Amino acid sequence: MIQQADRMMGLTSAIFSQLAELQKKVAASGVDIIQLSIGNPDMAPAPHIVEAMKQAVECGDNYGYTLSKGKPELLKAIAGWYDKKFDVQLDPDTEVHSLIGSQEGLAHIGLCLVNPGDVVLIPDPGYPIFSTGPYIAGAQLHKMCLTPENNYLPDLDGIDEEILKRTKLMILNYPNNPLAATATREFYEKVVALAHQYQFVVCSDFAYSELVFDDYRPESFLSIPGAKEIGIEFNSLSKSYNMCGCRIAYVVGNSQVISLLGRLKSNFDYGIFAPVQLAAIAALTGLQDCVRETAAAYQRRRDIIVDGFNSIGWHVERPKASMYIWAKVPTKQSSFDFTVDLLNHTGVAVVPGKAFGDCGEGFVRIALVQPEERLTEAVARIKKWLR
């Protein structure tokens, strides 16, 4: 008998696995599935990014090992991008580190900072890696319930002081997945003050910083005075530049935390394939029209879903950012039961809010990852079913 390690007992993909099997079964019956469950962008990188990678792939010198930290040119490009976009100054040598996707960094950060029994504050609902990473490190997870009544921001005043005294790490994510919520500068200022008071590290997941609508511009957590003293920020080229399969991201901020994560990574892996890094440099330093076009495409998709649903009495909020819609279940069902019924009757696949935490019950997440005509078709199918 092969016995799993105890830590594996707390890792499960049960809901996602169930959904995958259900979708396979419905598709096998001949139903055309409109896939709005997986947040996998359907758009391609801009031509200048593809061309940079193509040229790099054709160079035989680019097939050796690369440093885990990243090419110096990439680190400088990241620092320059942050300075230009958010007026955040970073030292490329000490305050920037490349990652094989931001999920990899989020998975490992707990191992760098947390001892068994230490508290990690995580959002609920939240992207699964926010909890599984610290859990593997032996952390005690304290869930911060994100509710519409508090604009999907953690109630910082409601966290018990004894919990705060044991906290080593707080994880935040705005613009948010799955909620599509955004944070204010005032909220970040309060977080920085709290982190200084109780001496814990803040990890900001900023992966959706560029998918913003209606002239909204998000704040980088690191733009808050004092944030770099206690915080780091993860960002990625996956969504902004449609490079999710390339697995290239980065972490910036506090040099001590960056150094710890770099030391851990140097024992786990080598650096990112050189052509991918060179494509990332082209993305960050080249014309940014492609980023604006991508955001505009998601804004049009958002409006199709929001306007379409509201027209049939399924009221949903119009988010200012991200590639998701967070919608209250319009029937008297659990989020899972509604998701199953929706799939069986319409062929539209979404994710139940419960998959992202207990506080997600009663909602579903809809990913805007299909062309406009497919989203229009999804609205039409749902309209026919709900009526």
Side-chain angles (χ1 to χ4, degrees):
M1 289 290 292
I2 297 175
Q3 296 186 355
Q4 65 181 11
D6 292 343
R7 69 179 65 86
M8 294 298 294
M9 296 295 291
L11 301 183
T12 176
S13 57
I15 292 181
F16 294 99
S17 297
Q18 282 179 277
L19 291 175
E21 288 301 315
L22 285 168
Q23 290 175 27
K24 188 186 302 183
K25 182 178 179 180
V26 172
S29 70
V31 175
D32 170 35
I33 303 294
I34 300 179
Q35 180 58 258
L36 305 180
S37 60
I38 303 172
N40 186 17
D42 61 312
M43 292 176 267
H48 71 278
I49 300 172
V50 175
E51 182 60 29
M53 188 181 298
K54 179 181 176 182
Q55 292 183 15
V57 166
E58 292 175 345
C59 177
D61 293 339
N62 287 328
Y63 285 82
Y65 289 120
T66 61
L67 295 175
S68 175
K69 187 175 180 63
K71 284 180 169 292
E73 308 95 302
L74 174 62
L75 305 180
K76 290 178 182 177
I78 293 167
W81 189 84
Y82 250 79
D83 188 9
K84 185 176 181 179
K85 288 286 298 183
F86 304 109
D87 196 26
V88 172
Q89 288 74 50
L90 299 164
D91 182 344
D93 295 327
T94 61
E95 296 177 335
V96 184
H97 201 295
S98 69
L99 299 170
I100 308 172
S102 56
Q103 178 157 318
E104 174 254 309
L106 287 160
H108 290 148
I109 192 64
L111 294 172
C112 301
L113 299 171
V114 174
N115 290 317
D118 289 340
V119 171
V120 174
L121 306 176
I122 61 168
D124 181 0
Y127 191 59
I129 197 62
F130 298 156
S131 58
T132 54
Y135 168 80
I136 290 171
Q140 176 184 330
L141 303 179
H142 179 82
K143 298 181 179 181
M144 302 180 292
C145 192
L146 309 183
T147 64
E149 294 73 23
N150 202 42
N151 296 315
Y152 294 116
L153 297 172
D155 178 12
L156 301 177
D157 296 328
I159 304 173
D160 188 271
E161 186 173 19
E162 292 306 311
I163 292 291
L164 290 170
K165 288 178 179 178
R166 295 171 51 216
T167 295
K168 289 292 184 69
L169 184 63
M170 171 190 278
I171 298 177
L172 300 174
N173 169 217
Y174 297 98
N176 186 279
N177 175 17
L179 305 171
T182 56
T184 63
R185 187 172 183 86
E186 292 73 20
F187 168 74
Y188 281 148
E189 289 172 345
K190 194 170 183 178
V191 169
V192 170
L194 195 68
H196 276 276
Q197 180 181 353
Y198 290 97
Q199 291 296 291
F200 58 78
V201 173
V202 178
C203 291
S204 165
D205 180 5
F206 204 32
Y208 298 92
S209 65
E210 303 310 293
L211 300 189
V212 292
F213 319 131
D214 305 322
D215 298 321
Y216 170 71
R217 291 293 175 267
E219 299 273 2
S220 164
F221 175 74
L222 294 180
S223 69
I224 307 301
K228 201 192 294 186
E229 297 170 15
I230 48 81
I232 58 174
E233 191 156 76
F234 294 89
N235 211 325
S236 170
L237 283 83
S238 292
K239 307 304 193 297
S240 302
Y241 297 95
N242 296 310
M243 296 176 67
C244 57
C246 297
R247 310 312 302 138
I248 183 161
Y250 52 88
V251 58
V252 297
N254 185 275
S255 60
Q256 290 178 282
V257 179
I258 299 289
S259 177
L260 287 172
L261 184 55
R263 192 197 314 172
L264 182 75
K265 281 176 56 62
S266 69
N267 284 274
F268 280 177
D269 57 58
Y270 287 94
I272 300 160
F273 185 38
V276 172
Q277 294 193 54
L278 293 168
I281 294 169
L284 293 167
T285 60
L287 292 175
Q288 300 299 295
D289 294 355
C290 59
V291 179
R292 290 185 286 271
E293 290 167 4
T294 295
Y298 280 118
Q299 180 171 327
R300 291 192 299 271
R301 294 175 179 191
R302 174 204 67 175
D303 290 342
I304 288 171
I305 292 294
V306 171
D307 294 341
F309 282 12
N310 286 338
S311 73
I312 60 177
W314 184 359
H315 177 70
V316 295
E317 298 294 331
R318 194 180 304 272
K320 295 186 289 186
S322 89
M323 53 190 284
Y324 305 107
I325 300 291
W326 185 247
K328 189 174 180 63
V329 172
T331 62
K332 296 180 179 180
Q333 296 172 283
S334 70
S335 61
F336 184 80
D337 288 345
F338 173 78
T339 297
V340 173
D341 270 2
L342 183 69
L343 179 65
N344 285 329
H345 289 92
T346 71
V348 177
V350 300
V351 180
K354 177 75 171 180
F356 301 100
D358 291 338
C359 293
E361 181 51 66
F363 293 82
V364 294
R365 190 195 75 175
I366 301 161
L368 304 173
V369 292
Q370 294 290 335
E372 294 174 37
E373 59 271 18
R374 292 288 280 170
L375 295 177
T376 300
E377 171 67 18
V379 171
R381 293 187 193 181
I382 293 170
K383 177 179 181 179
K384 182 178 180 181
W385 174 56
L386 284 180
R387 285 187 172 178

